[in-house]
Amino acid sequence: MKDLEKMIDVSLKEIMPDLIQLRRHFHAHPELSGQEHQTAALVAGELRKSGWVVKEAVGKTGIVAEIGNKSGPVVALRVDMDALPIEERTGLEYSSSIQGLMHACGHDLHTCIGLGVAKVLAKKKFKNSRVRIIFQPAEEIAQGANWMRAENVLEGVKALFGVHVYPDLSVGKIGI
């Protein structure tokens, strides 16, 4: 277990600058539910660079990526990508470049968490199992999960974990 923790720590230190840049890009270029075309394209490219097998346009604008043994049990991670129709007034240097849209709910961060997990896991060999990461569109209008379920993204999944940030939790804590 200590070796795995060390590998994760080293991997995160290596990729953190890229993840910060990606998160800032997503934040500056928000897309509404069902319109996450540029976000999805960037996510798919990053996943492919890391060695994942990627399916695009799943559930309209969603992405599904897998790595590991194709016949093994599947553990999945689900993250969302859409923004909200809210005007950003934060003054951040990477604030929304699209008037009337912003990532006010953290989905830009969720997308980067998914990519970070993907980049770290790409360095691990999965001999008996596989991992699927589901980048879900249209969470804010409560449609994306239905769109993706209709395309069987949960087929073979034995365990599914979802991501959502919660600012009241201290760094390093996980809420369930």
Side-chain angles (χ1 to χ4, degrees):
M1 194 62 153
K2 289 282 186 201
D3 289 341
L4 179 61
E5 288 176 30
K6 184 176 180 180
M7 187 270 297
I8 291 171
D9 285 346
V10 168
S11 294
L12 284 174
K13 284 179 185 162
E14 289 173 3
I15 65 173
M16 193 58 70
D18 290 338
L19 290 176
I20 291 169
Q21 287 304 111
L22 282 166
R23 190 266 173 156
R24 289 177 177 180
H25 176 83
F26 292 136
H27 191 87
H29 301 91
E31 295 176 294
L32 285 176
S33 297
Q35 299 173 31
E36 305 93 337
H37 302 287
Q38 297 303 313
T39 300
L42 182 53
V43 165
E46 289 293 319
L47 291 165
R48 282 191 180 99
K49 282 195 293 189
S50 296
W52 288 72
V53 175
V54 178
K55 287 188 348 187
E56 296 183 67
V58 181
K60 298 188 182 187
T61 54
I63 301 291
V64 176
E66 285 194 0
I67 201 164
N69 183 329
K70 291 184 188 229
S71 62
V74 180
V75 174
L77 176 70
R78 174 254 176 220
V79 298
D80 39 27
M81 306 184 294
D82 54 335
L84 289 163
I86 297 173
E87 185 71 32
E88 182 166 5
R89 295 185 180 128
T90 63
L92 294 169
E93 70 179 55
Y94 54 89
S95 65
S96 176
S97 63
I98 315 283
Q99 187 170 3
L101 296 183
M102 81 172 285
H103 277 291
C105 195
H107 296 189
D108 52 337
L109 184 54
H110 300 169
T111 302
C112 280
I113 290 169
L115 287 173
V117 168
K119 288 172 184 283
V120 169
L121 292 180
K123 296 180 182 204
K124 180 154 175 31
K125 301 295 180 221
F126 293 92
K127 295 177 184 168
N128 301 314
S129 62
R130 65 187 149 141
V131 177
R132 181 178 301 156
I133 302 184
I134 301 164
F135 289 84
Q136 179 194 313
E139 188 271 345
E140 293 295 354
I141 61 169
Q143 294 298 312
N146 292 331
W147 296 343
M148 298 199 73
R149 233 181 29 238
E151 294 198 40
N152 299 315
V153 300
L154 299 178
E155 187 175 313
V157 172
K158 300 298 181 194
L160 174 66
F161 297 89
V163 170
H164 207 289
V165 293
Y166 184 61
D168 290 346
L169 283 178
S170 301
V171 172
K173 301 286 182 187
I174 297 174
I176 297 175

